[in-house]
Amino acid sequence: NEAMATAAPRASSPAAASATSKPTSTPPASSPSPSAAPDAGGGQQQKRARAILSQFYSVGAAEGDGDGDSVLNLNGSSFDAESYTHGLLKTKKLTDLVAKDKELADEIKSLDSRMKSLVYDNYNKFINATDTIKKMKSNVQHMEEEMKKLRESMENIGSCSDQINTTLSGRREKIDHLATVHKLLTRLQFIVELPARLRKCQSMQAYAQAATYFNQASGLLVKYKHLPSFVRIHSECEEIMSDMKKQLYAQLLVTAPPAPAGDVTSISPMVLNFKQLEDAATVLLQLKEPEEELRKQFLACHSVAFDYLLMQFAPDRNTNIPVHEIAKRLGPPFFTQLLRTFESYRSIFMARDLEDDDINLENFHFEGPAWDQVFKFSKTVFEKYLRAAHQKLAENKSSAQSVASEEVISCLAVVHDVSLQVNRQLPFLHIAERTSDMISSTVLASVEAQFAGLHTVAVDGLTQLNTAVDDHTPPDTLAGQGTDDHFYAAAVARFAQELSDAFAQAVQKLQPFFNPNTKFLQQFHMQFAANIFIKLQQFFLFLDQLFTNYQSGTGDKSGANSARISPAFALALVGVCQRIEGFLPDVITLVRESFSAAGTEELVKVDELKAVFTATSSRLLQMYVQMEGRLLSSFMRKALETNNWLRAKEPKRVGAGALFFLQRCQEAHVLVEQLLLEHVGGSRGGAGGARSGGGSGGYGTAGALFFERKVDLFARVDFSRTAVIAAITRIGLKSLCECVRLCTFGRFGFQQLQVDLAYIKQGLTNILGLQRDLVFFFEEAEMNARCRCSDCAPISAGVLQLILTNKPAAM
């Protein structure tokens, strides 16, 4: 308790000091000493100091009951230190009292330091104010003298001004009149000197200054043209300006320099003096020349420059330079020149419409003839650029040296970039759609070029196959020359392989257009894929039409013999159709895997195309059978009709007709073995199919076979090698029977016919086996010969066998 009691008076003194040590904005009014402070002992003065400090810092009740005048409020005006101390002793613990004591000590130190700083600052200000007052006192003494002198000077000036006004008041009107006359004389002097000024400007090519001079004086010249002197000056000026206009119009007539021969790799963009063109057009506009004609001539000179630049894309230029390299060289200068032309045109003819350089061209409403002309010109120039690039890429599209797909893509990428730049700077042209059309048509042209190449391979390959088959002479197996060397099979297989390889190459060349890394082409993938599938189907239909043209006699365009084809080539076409029918699914699968796109799978139907080639090969096979059969018929008819069967000698060897008949059948057998693929396209039964079966070789069943069924010689033929040879033989044997019926035979003539029939029958049996319907033809021929024989004495079996076993005589 004693410690608390001793602490109370000590705490009261700092509290009082705290209240009096608050800084104030009012500087000390009496002593400049920094140690001056209010007397803490005076109660009234202490309250006044507290009130001033509280008012300055806007201090409110912070402690106690919230009343600003409470005796417990440290910042209040009624603060009582003793009551505050006793209150703390009653309510606080010892630790809280120690903390409060420390807090109050820190506040006292802080307030004391702040008080000292404020006193020091105020003292410095007071000293400065004192110095300023001293200086003002010294300056004011001289200022009164200066003001007195200024007052005297103003009075002198006023008196002088009044004297001048009094003196000049009578001459003022005359001075005004003389000033007006001087001004008029100056203008007249300008008009008199105007022709000389205009000539000087013309010689210095200062056309804009000359136009300014002429426009300034033209009003006076027209106004006073009734005066003779003005008439002369006016006519002279008009003559000078007319000559100047001709010179300005000549600057708007730009001609391109001649292009060098050969490649134009050294040609740079045509250098246009834009400043000169702009100045010429601007001066002519100032001279009130027709604006529409000026716009046309201004754009015409720029059109010449663009044509000269696009010359690098000409089909007969830069043939040894890759197209994408030409596009890279041409793209930046073309874009720069197009933008520069538009800006130049805009600054001359559309300055009133577009005074703000930051105007949004995309949303600007374009109207008026000036806008129409520059819009049409800019769009035409860009379309020329697209057209030139497209033509350069499409040249020689059907040749083997057509532009590679990678090169086409590189060139199109440059065109696409140029289009984006133009669209950003000149959005009102709306060239994005036109660029897309150009890119699409260029790629479709590449697709067309590849399929045109396939057409060429097919036509040239069939022409070469026709020539090779017709020029080939098969070995004579009857003369002991050995078997054929499979020439026909190799020729047809070679053509089919060339066609298949051409397909693979075409697919490989078109694949880069579907590269996922080529972003600007992705939007066209479906269109390209659909076009490829359509072209694929059209190509197969073209092949079918080509075979049909050969069948009808219009397929070979080589010369006068285009109306007919050889039987061997007809059968070769059958083999080609069968092989195409075989690899057709693989080709379509390859195309689908390489150019897959949604919605394009059903554009090519394999089954329908296979059915088309099956029908065509069937017609060609029927054609071959008929051609070969008619050839046998024609020869047998000639052989029978040219021989004198009544006076024939005793037979000792096989006749020439029988030898040819069998040899032709053996050659057809070799040809069919090489070219015809059995069981391709399914079974096609028919009345003319192979009819094999048992039966004896006797002649007693001829009548029964005749009435058993009717033999159809021209029925549809099966895709069987035996059936094809049998159908050919039936036609030849039927002609033999008919010709025998028209001949008359003697004894040895009948026997010679027996030998020939036996020889043919033996050879056909070795080739085809025993065919019942063929046996019928042999029996019918011998029966007809018996009826037409005057001395029918058949040859003995022994003699017949002896003749057949001997080596036949050469034909």
Side-chain angles (χ1 to χ4, degrees):
N1 291 332
E2 290 180 357
M4 291 292 183
T6 56
R10 193 176 59 157
S12 63
S13 178
S18 172
T20 58
S21 62
K22 284 274 186 174
T24 177
S25 61
T26 304
S30 59
S31 176
S33 174
S35 61
D39 185 8
Q44 187 67 26
Q45 189 176 1
Q46 186 179 12
K47 290 182 180 181
R48 182 174 175 272
R50 287 199 191 104
I52 293 173
L53 289 173
S54 298
Q55 184 180 2
F56 178 77
Y57 288 104
S58 300
V59 177
E63 297 185 19
D65 57 1
D67 187 3
D69 295 331
S70 175
V71 295
L72 299 179
N73 185 5
L74 284 173
N75 298 317
S77 58
S78 302
F79 174 72
D80 183 65
E82 186 176 357
S83 300
Y84 181 78
T85 303
H86 285 295
L88 291 177
L89 291 173
K90 290 178 181 180
T91 59
K92 302 294 182 179
K93 294 181 180 180
L94 181 58
T95 55
D96 296 335
L97 291 173
V98 173
K100 189 67 176 178
D101 179 68
K102 185 178 180 181
E103 178 184 352
L104 291 173
D106 293 339
E107 289 181 2
I108 290 170
K109 290 180 181 179
S110 176
L111 290 172
D112 186 50
S113 61
R114 292 175 62 188
M115 186 67 177
K116 290 179 180 180
S117 298
L118 288 173
V119 171
Y120 180 75
D121 292 341
N122 291 334
Y123 181 70
N124 287 336
K125 293 178 181 178
F126 178 75
I127 293 173
N128 293 334
T130 303
D131 295 339
T132 303
I133 292 171
K134 288 180 180 180
K135 291 179 181 180
M136 289 178 63
K137 285 182 178 181
S138 62
N139 292 333
V140 165
Q141 296 176 358
H142 300 288
M143 189 180 299
E144 291 179 356
E145 296 177 0
E146 295 294 332
M147 291 298 294
K148 185 178 179 180
K149 292 179 181 180
L150 179 61
R151 190 180 300 110
E152 293 175 356
S153 298
M154 292 297 296
E155 290 176 356
N156 292 332
I157 292 173
S159 62
C160 290
S161 177
D162 293 338
Q163 186 178 359
I164 292 173
N165 289 332
T166 303
T167 304
L168 297 179
S169 60
R171 303 177 184 177
R172 191 176 300 278
E173 293 181 359
K174 186 177 181 180
I175 292 173
D176 292 341
H177 176 69
L178 291 176
T180 305
V181 172
H182 180 268
K183 184 178 179 180
L184 180 59
L185 291 175
T186 302
R187 297 180 66 181
L188 290 175
Q189 183 181 4
F190 175 80
I191 292 176
V192 171
E193 295 175 353
L194 182 61
R197 290 173 180 266
L198 295 179
R199 288 192 184 93
K200 185 176 181 180
C201 291
Q202 185 179 13
S203 63
M204 297 174 61
Q205 295 185 354
Y207 301 119
Q209 186 65 40
T212 303
Y213 288 156
F214 181 76
N215 289 335
Q216 289 177 354
S218 59
L220 286 175
L221 292 175
V222 173
K223 183 177 180 180
Y224 298 106
K225 63 180 180 180
H226 58 281
L227 300 177
S229 57
F230 278 84
V231 171
R232 181 185 60 80
I233 294 174
H234 185 264
S235 62
E236 190 174 355
C237 291
E238 287 289 344
E239 183 179 354
I240 295 172
M241 296 309 296
S242 176
D243 187 41
M244 192 180 299
K245 288 178 184 178
K246 292 180 181 179
Q247 295 178 3
L248 292 172
Y249 274 114
Q251 293 181 3
L252 294 179
L253 296 176
V254 178
T255 57
D263 289 347
V264 291
T265 56
S266 60
I267 284 189
S268 58
M270 183 175 168
V271 179
L272 286 179
N273 191 337
F274 285 93
K275 182 67 168 59
Q276 178 178 311
L277 293 175
E278 291 175 5
D279 291 345
T282 303
V283 171
L284 288 173
L285 281 178
Q286 292 178 1
L287 296 176
K288 297 179 176 53
E289 289 296 297
E291 183 176 346
E292 183 177 0
E293 186 64 27
L294 282 177
R295 292 197 298 263
K296 289 182 180 179
Q297 292 199 20
F298 183 81
L299 294 177
C301 71
H302 286 278
S303 179
V304 172
F306 280 109
D307 292 341
Y308 182 81
L309 183 63
L310 295 177
M311 188 190 305
Q312 298 189 55
F313 266 152
D316 58 341
R317 298 282 181 177
N318 292 320
T319 56
N320 297 324
I321 303 175
V323 180
H324 69 277
E325 288 294 335
I326 303 175
K328 288 180 181 178
R329 298 176 188 178
L330 187 62
F334 173 82
F335 168 71
T336 303
Q337 186 165 321
L338 180 60
L339 188 61
R340 184 68 178 86
T341 300
F342 174 78
E343 292 297 335
S344 178
Y345 182 94
R346 166 185 164 180
S347 64
I348 299 172
F349 302 104
M350 299 187 297
R352 290 170 295 178
D353 297 334
L354 291 177
E355 295 179 355
D356 185 6
D357 291 335
D358 297 330
I359 194 169
N360 188 358
L361 294 177
E362 186 173 4
N363 299 324
F364 191 80
H365 180 65
F366 302 102
E367 60 182 6
W371 277 112
D372 294 340
Q373 279 185 284
V374 73
F375 176 82
K376 184 178 180 181
F377 172 80
S378 302
K379 199 159 190 175
T380 301
V381 167
F382 192 79
E383 288 181 352
K384 282 183 179 180
Y385 170 73
L386 295 178
R387 187 163 52 251
H390 176 74
Q391 291 176 353
K392 187 66 177 179
L393 290 171
E395 67 180 352
N396 301 323
K397 66 179 182 179
S398 60
S399 67
Q401 299 178 351
S402 58
V403 181
S405 301
E406 292 80 3
E407 191 173 343
V408 173
I409 294 174
S410 298
C411 182
L412 292 179
V414 175
V415 173
H416 182 260
D417 292 341
V418 172
S419 172
L420 291 179
Q421 293 177 0
V422 173
N423 200 42
R424 278 194 296 267
Q425 297 296 330
L426 306 176
F428 59 89
L429 292 179
H430 304 294
I431 46 88
E433 182 178 356
R434 184 65 187 90
T435 305
S436 298
D437 293 341
M438 179 268 178
I439 293 175
S440 174
S441 62
T442 301
V443 177
L444 294 181
S446 297
V447 175
E448 179 71 25
Q450 296 303 323
F451 279 95
L454 289 177
H455 286 209
T456 303
V457 170
V459 173
D460 294 345
L462 287 177
T463 303
Q464 295 174 4
L465 180 64
N466 189 4
T467 303
V469 168
D470 291 346
D471 294 343
H472 180 68
T473 302
D476 189 354
T477 56
L478 297 180
Q481 296 182 9
T483 59
D484 192 84
D485 55 356
H486 299 282
F487 169 80
Y488 299 105
V492 171
R494 184 167 55 252
F495 170 74
Q497 188 62 41
E498 289 176 356
L499 197 58
S500 178
D501 294 343
F503 268 114
Q505 292 177 4
V507 170
Q508 184 179 4
K509 290 181 179 180
L510 293 177
Q511 278 180 339
F513 294 112
F514 291 82
N515 190 337
N517 296 326
T518 310
K519 301 297 183 182
F520 72 95
L521 289 179
Q522 288 183 355
Q523 58 179 320
F524 305 104
H525 282 181
M526 186 168 205
Q527 179 186 5
F528 296 161
N531 183 262
I532 289 173
F533 281 108
I534 292 173
K535 292 293 182 183
L536 180 65
Q537 177 144 345
Q538 291 177 351
F539 174 73
F540 283 119
L541 295 178
F542 165 77
L543 285 179
D544 178 72
Q545 185 60 43
L546 195 61
F547 298 147
T548 303
N549 292 341
Y550 274 111
Q551 179 186 352
S552 61
T554 60
D556 186 5
K557 301 177 183 179
S558 58
N561 297 326
S562 61
R564 297 184 61 83
I565 59 175
S566 64
F569 183 62
L571 189 60
L573 292 179
V574 175
V576 170
C577 282
Q578 289 183 306
R579 285 160 178 81
I580 291 176
E581 187 179 349
F583 70 69
L584 188 146
D586 296 335
V587 170
I588 295 179
T589 301
L590 174 64
V591 173
R592 284 176 177 171
E593 291 176 352
S594 302
F595 314 113
S596 59
T600 58
E601 293 80 2
E602 300 299 325
L603 292 177
V604 179
K605 297 182 179 179
V606 180
D607 294 338
E608 293 182 0
L609 288 177
K610 290 179 69 175
V612 170
F613 282 99
T614 298
T616 302
S617 59
S618 179
R619 293 194 302 269
L620 289 170
L621 183 62
Q622 188 70 26
M623 174 184 177
Y624 166 72
V625 170
Q626 294 178 9
M627 291 174 67
E628 197 69 47
R630 290 192 182 103
L631 185 62
L632 284 177
S633 299
S634 176
F635 184 81
M636 292 306 298
R637 184 179 297 108
K638 290 181 181 178
L640 290 172
E641 291 176 354
T642 55
N643 287 340
N644 189 349
W645 298 100
L646 285 172
R647 299 180 180 180
K649 297 181 180 179
E650 182 179 1
K652 296 181 180 180
R653 58 175 178 254
V654 179
L659 290 174
F660 175 81
F661 188 96
L662 187 59
Q663 181 179 2
R664 193 68 187 179
C665 290
Q666 288 177 340
E667 291 176 357
H669 176 69
V670 171
L671 194 64
V672 171
E673 286 284 342
Q674 292 188 31
L675 297 178
L676 189 65
L677 302 178
E678 292 188 336
H679 308 300
V680 175
S683 175
R684 301 174 182 83
R691 302 179 182 92
S692 61
S696 63
Y699 304 119
T701 59
L705 284 172
F706 181 79
F707 290 104
E708 179 181 350
R709 56 183 173 176
K710 181 180 179 182
V711 178
D712 188 357
L713 297 179
F714 301 103
R716 190 175 61 180
V717 183
D718 285 341
F719 276 74
S720 169
R721 297 163 183 169
T722 303
V724 172
I725 302 301
I728 295 171
T729 307
R730 279 194 296 273
I731 297 175
L733 292 177
K734 181 61 177 176
S735 297
L736 175 64
C737 294
E738 296 299 326
C739 292
V740 167
R741 187 179 298 171
L742 299 177
C743 296
T744 303
F745 297 88
R747 178 179 180 180
F748 294 129
F750 175 71
Q751 293 179 356
Q752 182 65 51
L753 182 63
Q754 282 185 304
V755 172
D756 293 344
L757 291 175
Y759 176 75
I760 295 173
K761 181 180 179 182
Q762 180 181 352
L764 291 179
T765 302
N766 294 333
I767 298 174
L768 302 174
L770 188 61
Q771 301 275 336
R772 293 184 61 196
D773 49 357
L774 297 182
V775 171
F776 162 72
F777 287 113
F778 288 110
E779 293 177 356
E780 181 183 4
E782 186 172 346
M783 184 173 60
N784 292 338
R786 286 175 180 273
C787 295
R788 300 290 296 177
C789 182
S790 59
D791 184 9
C792 186
I795 192 171
S796 63
V799 175
L800 178 62
Q801 189 62 32
L802 180 63
I803 295 174
L804 294 178
T805 54
N806 291 335
K807 183 178 180 180
M811 294 179 58

